[in-house]
């Protein structure tokens, strides 16, 4: 059986705490800023996408996506 | 009376004001809770309690003035009581404000992801700190200078000048309150606007309330000075008002720097 490679977002020195909420939020925002800057289809933003998808709970991502659609997302996109 | 006692302390006559103040406080707090939970009679009890409290303050302090200025019971030793007591009261007020400034810092230094991790939160209209807020910081500072002027006049025995200085103190205070009221009326955000509104209006609102109390205190000192109650050796009431006024003034500096200036950037 092939070795399954397990990895997650690397440790970021900006977020040294056990509570990684801010890390997840920052990666989510970085992904969307990257998409806004480079375009939807560009592959450069894939790294940020993987990071936030590993770090953030699914419910939060869904809630934030909904907020972005409504225009009520509070973060600095 | 005081000539026949062989000690320099003041043994106060029995008075109903402590119990009436307690009852007033009880009515205010219970009425307040009832009102906030929409119980019938809450508003009435709250208003009655407040009126009763204000009445108690009026008659209690009137009695203190009678005992001190008119009956002469306040020897140097007795004066220490109100002096230390008032200083401790101001210390307790410092603690009170400390709580609100801590709340403000707690929310603004590490804003949560729920408000987008930024401060001020998105969409909050922030006031330009260098317009009315700055003016409203200079005004209390000048008022503090005026009250110091009044103090020096009292110490020098220049009674009329002291009245003028106190009038200047009060006028500046009223101008401050007027501007602050106007600013609140025209403010782009309200107390319900996210944690920003809550911390901003609680800190500045309580400060404004204390300004109004300090103004009233200064007005009373002005009236007493005019009536000749204060002498150059004995004016504890005036000193208390001046200390309170300086405290209110310093308290204004903190929100100006941390909330208006830093918090709006």
């Amino acid at each position: 059986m092939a070795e399954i490679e397990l990895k997650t977002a690397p440790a970021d020195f900006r977020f040294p705490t056990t509570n990684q909420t801010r890390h997840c939020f920052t990666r989510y925002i970085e992904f969307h800023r990257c998409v806004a800057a480079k375009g939807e289809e560009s592959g450069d933003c894939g790294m940020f996408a993987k990071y936030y998808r590993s770090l953030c709970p699914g419910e939060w991502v869904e809630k934030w996506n909904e907020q972005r659609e409504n225009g009520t997302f509070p973060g600095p996109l | 009376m005081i000539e026949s006692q062989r000690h320099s302390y003041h043994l106060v006559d029995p008075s109903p004001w402590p119990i009436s103040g307690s009852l007033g406080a009880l009515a205010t707090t219970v009425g307040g809770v009832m009102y906030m939970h929409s119980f019938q009679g809450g508003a009435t009890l709250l208003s009655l309690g407040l009126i009763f409290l204000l009445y108690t303050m009026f008659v209690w302090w009137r009695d203190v003035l009678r005992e001190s200025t008119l009956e002469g019971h306040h020897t140097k030793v007795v004066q220490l009581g109100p002096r230390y007591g008032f200083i401790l009261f101001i210390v307790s007020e410092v603690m009170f404000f400390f709580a609100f400034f801590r709340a403000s810092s707690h929310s603004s230094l590490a804003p949560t992801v729920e408000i987008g991790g930024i401060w001020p939160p998105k969409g909050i209209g922030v006031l330009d700190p260098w317009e009315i807020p700055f003016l409203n910081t200079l005004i209390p500072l000048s008022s503090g200078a005026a009250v110091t002027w009044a103090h020096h006049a009292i110490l020098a025995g220049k009674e009329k000048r002291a009245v003028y200085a106190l009038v200047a103190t009060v006028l500046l205070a009223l101008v401050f309150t007027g501007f602050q009221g106007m600013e609140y009326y025209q403010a782009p955000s309200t107390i319900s606007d996210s944690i920003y509104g809550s911390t901003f209006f609680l800190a500045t609102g309580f400060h404004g309330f204390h300004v109004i109390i300090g103004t009233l205190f200064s007005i009373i000192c002005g009236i007493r000075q005019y009536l000749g109650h204060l002498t150059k050796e004995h004016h504890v009431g005036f000193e208390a008002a001046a200390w309170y006024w300086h405290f209110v003034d310093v308290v204004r500096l903190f929100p100006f720097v941390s909330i208006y200036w830093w918090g709006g950037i």
Side-chain angles (χ1 to χ4, degrees), chain B residues 121-171:
Chain B
K122 189 169 164 186
I124 297 281
V126 167
L127 298 162
D128 182 349
W130 298 109
E131 293 189 357
I132 297 212
F134 184 55
L135 179 65
N136 258 2
T137 306
L138 293 176
I139 291 178
L141 281 169
S142 320
S143 193
V147 89
T148 309
W149 174 30
H151 195 191
H152 284 268
I154 292 177
L155 290 169
K158 303 263 192 269
E159 314 218 322
K160 223 169 172 196
R161 206 180 286 183
V163 178
Y164 293 147
L166 280 167
V167 165
T169 309
V170 169
L171 278 176

Side-chain angles (χ1 to χ4, degrees), chain B residues 139-262:
Chain B
I139 291 178
L141 281 169
S142 320
S143 193
V147 89
T148 309
W149 174 30
H151 195 191
H152 284 268
I154 292 177
L155 290 169
K158 303 263 192 269
E159 314 218 322
K160 223 169 172 196
R161 206 180 286 183
V163 178
Y164 293 147
L166 280 167
V167 165
T169 309
V170 169
L171 278 176
L172 283 166
L174 292 170
V175 166
F176 170 89
T177 308
F179 274 135
Q180 191 66 27
M182 198 181 80
E183 191 189 58
Y184 267 24
Y185 191 65
Q186 295 180 333
S189 41
T190 73
I191 197 171
S192 327
D193 283 324
S194 106
I195 190 69
Y196 180 87
S198 300
T199 52
F200 178 86
F201 284 102
L202 228 46
T204 58
F206 269 118
H207 176 256
F209 179 60
H210 283 72
V211 168
I212 293 173
I213 295 181
T215 312
L216 272 169
F217 201 169
S218 305
I219 291 177
I220 305 225
C221 282
I223 295 176
R224 290 187 69 207
Q225 171 60 12
Y226 180 72
L227 294 174
H229 288 194
L230 309 174
T231 73
K232 53 172 123 148
E233 277 102 35
H234 188 171
H235 45 263
V236 178
F238 172 81
E239 281 174 306
W243 293 334
Y244 197 73
W245 198 238
H246 290 307
F247 152 71
V248 161
D249 185 13
V250 166
V251 166
R252 170 65 193 192
L253 281 169
F254 282 109
F256 177 70
V257 171
S258 62
I259 298 181
Y260 282 103
W261 187 1
W262 179 87

Side-chain angles (χ1 to χ4, degrees), chain A residues 21-22 25 29 64 71 73-76, chain B residues 110-111 113-118 122:
Chain A
T21 305
R22 217 170 275 287
F25 190 67
I29 294 211
W64 291 335
F73 184 70
Chain B
V113 300
E114 282 82 355
I115 51 166
I118 49 171
K122 189 169 164 186

Side-chain angles (χ1 to χ4, degrees), chain B residues 5 66 86 99 169 212:
Chain B
Q5 69 185 44
R66 285 178 178 172
F86 203 74
T169 309
I212 293 173

Side-chain angles (χ1 to χ4, degrees), chain B residues 17 54 56-66 220:
Chain B
W17 311 133
L54 285 167
T56 305
M57 287 190 226
F58 176 75
V59 287
W60 192 334
W61 285 325
R62 176 208 64 186
D63 281 356
V64 173
L65 289 188
R66 285 178 178 172
I220 305 225

Side-chain angles (χ1 to χ4, degrees), chain B residues 71-105:
Chain B
E71 291 177 17
H73 285 286
H74 281 203
T75 61
K76 276 285 176 209
V77 198
V78 173
Q79 285 173 47
L80 285 178
R83 280 168 160 269
Y84 286 148
F86 203 74
I87 291 175
L88 288 172
F89 171 65
I90 292 185
V91 170
S92 80
E93 296 259 78
V94 168
M95 294 298 122
F96 181 72
F97 275 101
F98 183 75
F100 292 115
F101 292 130
R102 173 56 72 93
S104 203
S105 322

